[in-house]
Amino acid sequence: MNNPLQRYTNLKFLVVDDFSDFRQSIKQMVESFGVKHVDTCSEGEEAIRKYAEHQHQVVLVDYNLGDGLSGLQVLEELNYRQLLKPGTLYILITGETAMELVMGALEYRPDDYLAKPFTKNILKTRLDKLVQLQEVFQPVHSALAKGKNITAIELCDSLMQKNKRLSMQCLRLKGDIYLKSGLYPKAINVFKTVIEQHELTWAQMGLARAYSGINQLADVQTICKKIISKNKYALEAYDLLAESDCAMGNFEHAYTLLKTACDLSPNTLIRQRKLGQLALRYLELETALNAFKRVIGLGRYSIKIRPDDFVTLLQTMLQIQFGSYGSLSLRVPKDYASLYREINRKYPNDIQLSLVVNLHQILLKYLSNDKGTALSEMEIQLQKCHSLPDTLKPYLINEITFVGQRLDEPELKQSISNQFLAHQAEQFTQENIDKANNYNRQGMLKFKEKDYLTAKKAFKTALINSPSNVNIALNLLQCLYRLAADKQFKQVEPSLITLCAQSLESIDPGDHRFAHSQNLFNHLKALLATKV
């Protein structure tokens, strides 16, 4: 362990604040503690670039950074981009004390929360505690950074034996490692051990996520409901409960949950996107409009934004414009120009997204009774879509479907159906949640019996019936890995690996299942490479 008098000498600090005087003040404070390397910047994107370059051990970030990412969103982005190294201390600074902000900060787990104004002594006291703990766990974090998860777990066990006061922190780390590795039964054991001693929210959430990983959705629901009943601000529990509701086909309850969660903490892009999607399912267009507007706003400086978000917002605006929404129907068209500019700024070279915008503008003209001109322009754009050398992206297919549903011309509608939508329609008619769940349960039973071939067939049927179900895709991928490990390479069809990849491509890197899916793909690839 470092000499306390030299504790800060070799640490790199990053200070982020949009006010130069305050930024300089914090820099001088930490330099007085002995820090030699202090980087400073004024906005979120620059903070992410500097952190990626220098890998600072301590990051002090003001919540309010003016335009662009907030301090909380910088933390979210670092996690999402998988840049935040194990052991990095992230301290959020703010002068605001609103419940919404505090709860949002807790959601993304900064290591500490400093309210302005604070003195040098207060900062030093907080840092001393955090850095001392960082030193203790440095070997664990070093092992995790190198991908040595087993070593990290062994080090946690050793720390617990040496210092009982560190038991909870060690168990939390172990549980998180097992979750990210897809070792759900081991994660369950760890979190249950904690809960037997203290019913801590983080352990309950870990247990719920582990149950989600093995598709025990009833247990997920029970735990998440219990967490929410005790703490209405437990936002992660809302998200996981809504996720399990969707997997079970209970979309209406998921919609209600996400509305509540977004009211409590509105600045989470992924949650707003899910709310918007569910609002559209129930034709709650005003809710969908507000959700996707917020998605676009939050996504201006985020890599989490998708072309689909812009397409969905355009479609929602059009439906409101030509629906019966009073003054809202009159206001919506005024936002088209700024949205077109944002699309062009964000995706200047996306030909398929440009075609979406063209189709949208022509549909506006058609619905505004300029049908003659619109139809001839529509046919030209559809021909361009048909002539593209690349496979059509889902968002372009989505827009073509949207256009086709709003045309009155039978011949053009039929042409669209024949050229673009036949395969898509077949996919939609196969979506049968009950059937998928039944086959998934059969597959899990056979998997436990180590009858991997029968399990594979059941999981395949389940996934075909519910291609968007991430848990089923993970089950099938796990089964393919087991078959490959048993040298049954002929049973590991490339088409099934592709099917899994397509179903899993929507997982956000922040989702605990992302690392598990990547590990499975990598291990499967390595096994197939040994095939003679």
Side-chain angles (χ1 to χ4, degrees), residues 227-423:
I227 293 170
I228 292 168
S229 70
K230 292 185 177 180
N231 178 10
K232 73 172 186 176
Y233 295 104
L235 296 161
E236 289 177 284
Y238 286 90
D239 291 337
L240 190 56
L241 183 54
E243 180 185 300
S244 65
D245 273 331
C246 290
M248 297 168 74
N250 192 0
F251 298 105
E252 189 170 358
H253 188 243
Y255 174 54
T256 303
L257 280 169
L258 290 177
K259 280 187 72 174
T260 302
C262 285
D263 286 341
L264 293 171
S265 181
N267 294 325
T268 305
L269 187 152
I270 293 170
R271 184 182 301 128
Q272 289 286 354
R273 176 190 289 141
K274 290 177 180 176
L275 173 63
Q277 290 166 344
L278 288 171
L280 288 174
R281 186 183 188 94
Y282 293 102
L283 295 178
E284 297 283 352
L285 296 186
E286 189 168 354
T287 299
L289 176 73
N290 293 331
F292 279 102
K293 274 189 171 182
R294 193 171 284 275
V295 167
I296 301 304
L298 293 169
R300 185 171 176 81
Y301 302 97
S302 171
I303 64 167
K304 290 183 290 185
I305 195 73
R306 300 173 184 167
D308 314 61
D309 297 323
F310 291 92
V311 176
T312 305
L313 180 55
L314 285 172
Q315 293 174 354
T316 304
M317 291 166 68
L318 183 142
Q319 291 178 81
I320 290 173
Q321 179 184 348
F322 292 96
S324 301
Y325 290 87
S327 60
L328 185 60
S329 295
L330 300 175
R331 294 198 306 270
V332 156
K334 298 175 183 177
D335 294 332
Y336 285 133
S338 60
L339 190 54
Y340 295 150
R341 286 195 298 271
E342 182 64 12
I343 290 171
N344 188 57
R345 183 194 71 82
K346 194 81 174 179
Y347 305 99
N349 301 313
D350 192 324
I351 295 172
Q352 297 202 28
L353 193 53
S354 296
L355 285 168
V356 167
V357 172
N358 293 343
L359 288 169
H360 174 81
Q361 292 173 323
I362 295 167
L363 182 58
L364 284 174
K365 189 182 294 186
Y366 175 87
L367 295 174
S368 300
N369 292 320
D370 188 1
K371 293 190 176 182
T373 306
L375 286 172
S376 59
E377 292 178 358
M378 185 76 71
E379 289 176 352
I380 292 170
Q381 293 302 315
L382 290 171
Q383 185 55 47
K384 287 182 180 179
C385 295
H386 193 260
S387 302
L388 286 173
D390 299 324
T391 302
L392 298 192
K393 300 287 179 64
Y395 54 81
L396 180 52
I397 288 283
N398 182 3
E399 180 65 17
I400 293 170
T401 304
F402 184 81
V403 168
Q405 291 169 345
R406 283 153 183 80
L407 296 178
D408 292 328
E409 281 61 34
E411 289 187 11
L412 186 53
K413 288 173 73 77
Q414 189 61 46
S415 175
I416 288 174
S417 180
N418 292 340
Q419 292 187 63
F420 301 105
L421 308 182
H423 174 65

Side-chain angles (χ1 to χ4, degrees), residues 447-458:
F447 189 89
K448 287 179 181 178
E449 295 170 3
K450 298 186 179 181
D451 183 356
Y452 300 129
L453 185 56
T454 305
K456 182 197 77 170
K457 293 176 182 177

Side-chain angles (χ1 to χ4, degrees), residues 4-16:
L5 297 175
Q6 299 177 333
R7 175 169 285 151
Y8 296 95
T9 304
N10 296 319
L11 296 182
K12 297 177 184 177
F13 273 62
L14 175 62
V15 177
V16 190

